[in-house]
Amino acid sequence: MSLKKRNYQYVGLLYVLPWVVGLLVFQFYPFLSSFYYSFTDFNMVSAPTFVGLDNYKKILTDDPGFLQALKVTTIYVLMAVPVKLAFALFIALILSAKLRGINFFRTMYYLPSILGGSVAISVLWRFLFMKDGVVNGMTGALGLPAVDWLGDPDIALYTLGMLSVWQFGSSMVLFLAGLKQIPGDLYEAGAIDGASKTRLFFTITVPLLTPIVLFNLIMQMVNAFQEFTGAFVITNGGPMKSTYLYALKLYEEAFTFFKMGYASALSWVLFVIIMIVTAVIFKSSTYWVHYEDGGKGK
Amino acid sequence: MTDARNGSNKTLSYVLLVVLGFAMVYPLIWLVVSSLKTNADIFGSSSLFAGSYVTDSYAKGWAGTGQYGFKDFYLNTFVLVVPTVIFTIVSSVVVAYGFARFRFPLQTILFSLMMATLMLPDSTIMIPRYILFNKMGWLDTYLPFIVPAAFATSAFFVYMLIQFFRGLPRELDESAKIDGCNSFTILIRILLPLCKPAIFSVGIFQFIWTWNDFFNSIIYISSVKKFTVSLGLRMTLDASSAVSWNQVLAMSVVSIVPCIILFFMAQKYFVEGISTTGLKG
């Protein structure tokens, strides 16, 4: 340690200083103070008053809106994230075969994930899935019954989920990058040993992609738990609160009712949930994620 | 035998890619075409094309009905986005340079902290940030977007640039040092020109994300005069109750045009940026 000290280049600190200040002011301080606010009653007009665990007590025992939001969000995450990743992986696998025009297809599939978070796309979704909209027009032409995509409480959340799945492009690009890094001689060696294509896929491709699956899974999960724009613009939580995602609940408490203390407690409950899910995924990853250095022994 | 099977496999792949790709892009095509339809033609028809087309949806939508129209929203969005992008680039480059090229006390801890903020849900810090900006009198201004950008608060971009710097040979720095450069002139004269692709990636991502941002805009900006495109679009959607659907669609097209142009112009940087860092979903 003391040996290393001599080599310190203190000018480096100067370069990272802006980030340190930003971290303290715009991330660390808000992080701690939201924890503090979560134990207060605060409406932004009068000073916060300490209420102990009241906010948390109310959330867990006396807030049907919280339970509904939690239920809706859980379904949304469990549905949208796996389907999105499955799509991303499936398309990436097809694209990774040496086909011509890969760049063209990659662009086409990637485009929606660039635009997906915008209000314009939410507007588009609302139009496409209206009762007399295009989607029903098309399924009607095929002789299928009309579906009330956004008006039926049993379906609306899945229609929003489709919007998320439509944006699988960014996960796909990561899978593609991962596939590119798998050394070709692994397949050659496997083929010489007489392994079938299916076997090569399950013994080489799948294990070597698992770290990227893990990364995508966590990032998409964290994002899905906080999804807002679609549910707000397209359905505004309805019908019958069937698309009342957690971020909508949070927004409502904080910026409609200005219950900042209560909303802070809600945000901490979400934080803890996300952390627990992340921890569980990480823990489970020792069973299904393959780390190359473990195999190489170097 | 195997050749024939490979051939048919390829054909199958192509068919699948084309069909799926078409399904992916079809909503966007529909958006553009329908923005030129009459209101009556937008609904109730599964056909993409209509009997007749109108173009006044764009002019009317652009002008808007109230005191402020999309010309204002557009201008506002640029006023918000351009400084945010520039500050993000400058601050992220400087900080990434510090992390990538120097060894200083607490470096490992600071680096881990930065990676941790990647995972920190925005919703957790959103409320105190709002209270803080309120105290500073920044509500209903663009400062809540611009100022944090000047402090490299997007760990994603810093990390992306650190990875890029690490890929540049250190011999460059050392020979420049011998030639009399100090650490800052090394960054400006030697490394910066080489970083162009990474800088483009950062700029493009930040432009599109900030341009499309809705959640922060709706929280921080309240007066219509200062509305961004996303806020203006939602207002149009709420205001035009069943009257001028084609205008809403036309303005939706207009609002994503800058992002689409940027995407196609700089496609290379996009895909490279995202895959070299192996980050972001």
Side-chain angles (χ1 to χ4, degrees), chain A residues 242-256:
Chain A
S242 62
T243 58
Y244 191 57
L245 289 177
Y246 204 95
L248 265 68
K249 165 82 177 161
L250 209 51
Y251 174 83
E252 208 174 81
E253 296 290 347
F255 302 106
T256 310

Side-chain angles (χ1 to χ4, degrees), chain B residues 140-156:
Chain B
D140 209 20
T141 74
Y142 304 140
L143 293 174
F145 298 83
I146 297 169
V147 177
F151 291 92
T153 41
S154 263
F156 169 61

Side-chain angles (χ1 to χ4, degrees), chain A residues 9 15 100 109 166 215, chain B residues 14 17 24 103 183 274 279:
Chain A
Q9 299 141 305
Y15 286 106
R100 290 166 69 98
Y109 290 122
W166 187 57
F215 178 80
Chain B
Y14 273 120
L17 285 178
M24 290 284 292
R103 295 196 40 248
S183 68
I274 204 167
L279 265 183

Side-chain angles (χ1 to χ4, degrees), chain A residues 4-5 7-23 25-27 29-31 33-34 37 42 44 87 90-91 94-95 98-101 103 105-112 114-121 123-128 130 132-134 137-138 141 166-168 170-171 173-174 177 181 197 215-216 218-220 222-223 226 228-229 232-233 247 250-251 254-255 258 260 263-264 267-268 270-271 274-275 278 282, chain B residues 6 9-10 13-14 16-18 20-28 30-31 42-46 91 94-95 97-99 101-106 110-111 113-114 117-136 138-139 147-148 150-155 158 177 183-184 187 205 208 212 214-215 218-219 230-231 233-234 237-238 245 248-249 252-253 255-256 259-260 263-264 267 270-271 274-275 278-281:
Chain A
K4 282 180 183 173
K5 236 176 209 165
N7 299 326
Y8 277 152
Q9 299 141 305
Y10 288 91
V11 69
L13 270 175
L14 208 62
Y15 286 106
V16 302
L17 188 65
W19 170 78
V20 173
V21 173
L23 175 78
V25 177
F26 298 118
Q27 285 164 325
Y29 161 75
F31 183 67
S33 63
S34 95
Y37 286 130
F42 184 34
M44 303 237 344
F87 249 95
F90 178 64
I91 301 292
I94 297 179
L95 284 181
K98 292 188 178 71
L99 299 170
R100 290 166 69 98
N103 289 344
F105 287 113
R106 192 176 56 186
T107 308
M108 231 166 38
Y109 290 122
Y110 191 47
L111 185 59
I114 293 299
L115 306 168
S118 68
V119 175
I121 296 303
V123 169
L124 171 63
W125 227 247
R126 200 159 125 172
F127 275 79
L128 289 177
M130 274 179 179
D132 48 358
V134 195
M138 281 178 156
W166 187 57
Q167 302 165 47
F168 68 78
S170 52
S171 311
V173 171
L174 292 183
Q181 278 165 8
K197 274 204 161 168
F215 178 80
N216 270 333
I218 288 177
M219 290 316 264
Q220 295 297 339
V222 173
N223 286 339
Q226 300 179 82
F228 176 77
T229 307
F232 188 76
V233 176
L250 209 51
Y251 174 83
F255 302 106
F258 287 96
M260 291 304 188
S264 294
S267 79
W268 266 84
L270 180 63
F271 177 69
I274 291 177
M275 285 303 117
T278 308
F282 263 116
Chain B
N6 270 347
N9 263 349
K10 264 193 178 165
S13 298
Y14 273 120
L16 207 70
L17 285 178
V18 171
L20 249 163
F22 185 70
M24 290 284 292
V25 186
Y26 186 81
L28 296 171
W30 182 86
L31 176 67
I42 290 177
F43 295 112
S45 155
S46 59
S91 64
V94 168
V95 172
Y97 178 58
F99 271 117
R101 281 301 202 248
F102 303 97
R103 295 196 40 248
F104 48 86
L106 301 177
L110 289 177
F111 185 76
L113 269 176
M114 193 182 68
T117 63
L118 263 181
M119 295 256 335
L120 181 66
D122 281 338
S123 53
T124 317
I125 53 175
M126 145 193 105
I127 290 160
R129 263 176 119 160
Y130 179 85
I131 295 167
L132 179 74
F133 293 147
N134 178 42
K135 272 186 204 152
M136 289 167 151
W138 289 359
L139 294 191
V147 177
F151 291 92
T153 41
S154 263
V158 180
K177 210 185 237 168
S183 68
F184 189 68
L187 171 64
F205 271 114
I208 291 182
N212 284 335
F214 176 64
F215 190 68
I218 200 172
I219 289 177
S230 357
L231 294 176
L233 191 59
R234 195 179 88 92
L237 181 68
D238 286 352
W245 293 122
V248 177
L249 293 176
S252 297
V253 174
S255 77
I256 54 175
C259 298
I260 291 187
F263 175 70
F264 280 107
Q267 234 232 89
F270 247 107
V271 175
I274 204 167
S275 32
L279 265 183
K280 188 64 194 181

Side-chain angles (χ1 to χ4, degrees), chain B residues 234-257:
Chain B
R234 195 179 88 92
M235 189 178 69
T236 316
L237 181 68
D238 286 352
S240 54
S241 38
V243 237
S244 40
W245 293 122
N246 56 7
Q247 289 180 32
V248 177
L249 293 176
M251 287 310 103
S252 297
V253 174
V254 165
S255 77
I256 54 175
V257 158

Side-chain angles (χ1 to χ4, degrees), chain A residues 202-219:
Chain A
F202 283 109
T203 50
I204 298 174
T205 315
V206 172
L208 289 181
L209 273 185
T210 46
I212 301 168
V213 174
L214 174 67
F215 178 80
N216 270 333
L217 182 64
I218 288 177
M219 290 316 264

